[in-house]
């Protein structure tokens, strides 16, 4: 925490929050006659500023993460995870999820590959929970909106949900709930191909462009929803439904977030707008976790690989973990600044 705070206000405000960009957008809109203090002008400023900021962070982060990921192809990851068992395996699976794809739908094929390779069920589910919920992208983006304290706490809680959730699923012994085509034994070792720095750079650039094309529409949708919430929905209404006075705000936000399909980059502007409207920090973060982990498209894909009882266990442990973490974050919000 101290190291993050030591970065100083300039790094946090100008590099992560990009306050210079907000001022620049306001000035550019002002030169064409847009009043950014009006509802319509404020909506337009929010939309342009957040879209550009998120796209910049997305491209930089995905390039860096893809470069790191080039050192951990699926076969190497499987071999690393295969060395651990029990809770240690769940921890490794959760940590590996932080350097893999940013959305749940992209994580599911890797989850299937790990399962077919014979890895313990709990380890693969720790990976499946962690991958979309907690990654380097979410760490930086949450830091850019809520500050380093919240970002670190969110990451720690997300990893805890992944580790505990995977452990619970492992102890339920539901291997019979896997579809036949994802059962299997570890394949023979494959000789990995050495990549040069140029190869890694091309791979990272390709992954950046590919991911941008996939998530770009959801960024626009998420920023658009955030802009509408921020400028058009009355604060009193938002507080009445999701504010601290409603004891069911956290589970309600978690259930509302589940049908929405977005990754962290699409969820963060909605979360930011809700927070600025007075919604509790824990309620907002529970909503983000639900959006990134339990979207209907990803659950539809997952239903092809696992049977209903295992699906219910997966959704159940995620929802319980998210709701508990939401109440915890709401209670400690004053301490996080």
């Amino acid at each position: 925490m101290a190291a993050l705070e030591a970065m100083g206000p300039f790094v946090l405000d100008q590099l992560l929050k990009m306050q210079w960009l907000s001022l620049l957008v306001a000035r550019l809109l002002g030169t064409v006659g847009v009043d950014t203090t009006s509802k319509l002008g404020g909506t337009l400023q929010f939309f342009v500023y957040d879209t550009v900021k998120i796209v910049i962070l997305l491209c930089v982060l995905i390039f860096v993460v893809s470069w790191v990921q080039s050192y951990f192809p699926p076969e190497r990851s499987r071999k690393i995870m295969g060395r651990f068992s029990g809770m240690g395996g769940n921890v490794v699976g959760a940590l590996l999820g932080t350097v893999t794809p940013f959305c749940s739908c992209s994580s599911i094929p890797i989850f299937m590959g790990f399962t077919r390779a014979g890895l313990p069920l709990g380890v693969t589910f720790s990976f499946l929970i962690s991958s979309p919920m907690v990654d380097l992208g979410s760490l930086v983006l949450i830091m850019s909106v809520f500050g380093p304290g919240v970002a670190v706490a969110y990451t720690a809680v997300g990893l805890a949900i992944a580790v505990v959730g995977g452990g619970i699923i492992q102890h339920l012994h539901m291997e019979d709930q896997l579809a036949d085509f994802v059962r299997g034994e570890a394949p023979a070792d494959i000789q990995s191909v050495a990549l040069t720095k140029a190869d890694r750079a091309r791979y990272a650039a390709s992954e950046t462009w590919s991911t941008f094309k996939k998530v770009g529409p959801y960024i626009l949708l998420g920023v658009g929803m955030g802009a509408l919430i921020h400028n058009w929905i009355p604060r009193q209404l938002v507080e009445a439904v999701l504010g601290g006075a409603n004891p069911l705000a956290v589970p309600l936000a978690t259930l509302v977030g589940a049908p929405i399909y977005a990754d962290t980059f699409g969820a963060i502007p909605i979360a930011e707008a809700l927070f600025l409207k007075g919604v509790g920090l824990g309620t907002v973060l529970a909503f983000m976790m639900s959006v990134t982990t339990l979207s209907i498209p990803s659950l539809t894909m997952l239903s092809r690989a696992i049977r209903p009882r295992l699906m219910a266990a997966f959704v159940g442990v995620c929802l319980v973990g998210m709701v508990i973490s939401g109440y915890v974050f709401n209670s400690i919000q004053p301490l996080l600044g």
Side-chain angles (χ1 to χ4, degrees):
M1 182 70 63
L4 291 172
E5 296 287 355
M7 291 190 303
F10 176 82
V11 174
L12 183 60
D13 294 338
Q14 302 303 327
L15 291 185
L16 293 178
K17 295 186 178 180
M18 297 188 194
Q19 291 181 354
W20 60 270
L21 178 61
S22 179
L23 294 174
L24 177 61
V25 171
R27 289 175 182 172
L28 291 176
L29 291 175
T31 61
V32 295
V34 176
D35 179 10
T36 55
T37 62
S38 67
K39 279 190 175 182
L40 185 58
T43 302
L44 186 58
Q45 182 191 8
F46 186 102
F47 183 83
V48 174
Y49 161 64
D50 256 36
T51 299
V52 175
K53 180 185 75 171
I54 290 173
V55 167
I56 292 173
L57 289 174
L58 178 145
C59 292
V60 171
L61 288 167
I62 293 181
F63 186 90
V64 172
V65 170
S66 297
W67 183 289
V68 173
Q69 193 179 350
S70 70
Y71 289 92
F72 296 93
E75 174 61 19
R76 184 176 183 183
S77 300
R78 182 193 67 78
K79 291 173 68 176
I80 293 173
M81 293 169 66
R83 298 172 186 170
F84 299 88
S85 60
M87 191 59 69
N90 295 122
V91 172
V92 173
L95 290 175
L96 187 63
T98 64
V99 291
T100 48
F102 291 93
C103 68
S104 52
C105 286
S106 299
S107 304
I108 290 171
I110 301 177
F111 158 79
M112 292 180 183
F114 287 156
T115 304
R116 292 191 68 185
L119 293 178
L121 193 61
V123 175
T124 61
F125 270 94
S126 288
F127 166 84
L128 184 63
I129 296 170
S130 169
S131 181
M133 185 188 297
V134 183
D135 52 54
L136 298 180
S138 66
L139 177 64
V140 174
L141 277 176
I142 293 172
M143 193 183 302
S144 73
V145 174
F146 301 107
V150 175
V152 171
Y154 174 89
T155 301
V157 170
L159 287 173
I161 292 174
V163 171
V164 174
I168 291 173
I169 289 174
Q170 183 65 45
H171 280 86
L172 292 176
H173 301 294
M174 302 178 75
E175 286 77 9
D176 62 327
Q177 292 295 300
L178 290 171
D180 293 338
F181 78 94
V182 294
R183 297 184 190 183
E185 305 204 357
D189 288 342
I190 301 173
Q191 186 67 33
S192 60
V193 179
L195 298 177
T196 65
K197 290 183 178 180
D199 293 332
R200 298 188 193 281
R202 283 192 291 269
Y203 169 78
S206 174
E207 287 295 299
T208 300
W209 175 240
S210 174
T211 304
F212 175 75
K213 289 191 296 183
K214 290 179 183 176
V215 305
Y218 300 105
I219 292 175
L220 295 177
L221 179 61
V223 174
M225 293 176 64
L228 291 174
I229 293 170
H230 183 264
N231 292 280
W232 295 92
I233 298 181
R235 182 186 183 97
Q236 295 83 353
L237 176 60
V238 176
E239 287 184 338
V241 177
L242 296 177
N246 182 1
L248 298 178
V250 173
L252 179 61
T254 306
L255 292 175
V256 168
I260 301 173
Y261 176 56
D263 57 8
T264 304
F265 300 99
I268 194 70
I270 305 175
E272 179 183 11
L274 290 172
F275 185 69
L276 293 175
K277 286 290 184 179
V279 177
L281 177 63
T283 307
V284 167
L285 295 182
F287 169 82
M288 276 189 57
M289 289 179 177
S290 178
V291 168
T292 56
T293 310
L294 296 177
S295 67
I296 289 178
S298 66
L299 294 182
T300 300
M301 287 182 60
L302 187 60
S303 67
R304 300 175 184 174
I306 64 177
R307 298 194 171 103
R309 282 179 51 217
L310 183 52
M311 175 69 80
F314 167 67
V315 173
V317 297
C318 287
L319 286 176
V320 170
M322 292 168 188
V323 170
I324 292 174
S325 67
Y327 282 118
V328 170
F329 272 115
N330 279 343
S331 66
I332 66 172
Q333 182 173 345
L335 303 177
L336 297 174

